[in-house]
Amino acid sequence: LKRPSLCLFDSSKLCGAMTDFTIRTRKFKQNPLLGRKQFVLDIIHPGMANVSKKDLATKLASMYKVHDSQCIQLFGFKTAFGGGRSTGFGLIYESLDKMKKFEP
């Protein structure tokens, strides 16, 4: 019997495989000059090599009520030795215009 946690996400509806992962954000910072929120992501994904950025962006969009998941930029992911945990960096822009202005 599995109890769902607050940030547990079942992406089996997206890709067909049974995959569960948990997202935690830390060092969350508002950056109004660049029109974005920035944070460090900690992902716990037991039994998986890693989690796709598309699944992460979908989950973050629902967590932070982002209207368009294209406004989310994720990069710099490192998987911990032994697997099961990853750390990366994320940016959520206020609009697509601001994202195109500042992202390369």
Side-chain angles (χ1 to χ4, degrees):
L1 185 66
K2 274 172 118 177
R3 289 186 193 160
S5 68
L6 181 64
C7 297
L8 190 65
F9 181 64
D10 179 20
S11 65
S12 61
K13 296 170 189 85
L14 298 176
C15 61
M18 228 3 223
T19 55
D20 293 334
F21 59 90
T22 305
I23 298 177
R24 290 197 181 115
T25 57
R26 58 187 170 91
K27 297 186 179 179
F28 197 89
K29 187 184 296 185
Q30 295 274 5
N31 195 335
L33 291 176
L34 298 179
R36 69 184 185 197
K37 302 169 189 163
Q38 52 198 51
F39 47 87
V40 174
L41 278 172
D42 291 326
I43 299 110
I44 301 169
H45 48 88
M48 299 170 58
N50 51 22
V51 183
S52 72
K53 291 180 184 178
K54 183 179 179 184
D55 291 346
L56 290 172
T58 304
K59 177 59 181 165
L60 285 170
S62 66
M63 281 173 65
Y64 291 105
K65 298 175 180 67
V66 179
H67 60 280
D68 190 4
S69 63
Q70 288 182 336
C71 294
I72 299 174
Q73 295 288 315
L74 302 171
F75 55 92
F77 282 92
K78 305 263 188 212
T79 304
F81 180 75
R85 288 180 178 260
S86 297
T87 303
F89 199 75
L91 305 170
I92 299 177
Y93 284 92
E94 294 172 356
S95 66
L96 281 174
D97 294 335
K98 295 213 179 197
M99 186 186 77
K100 289 177 182 175
K101 184 176 179 183
F102 296 114
E103 286 296 315

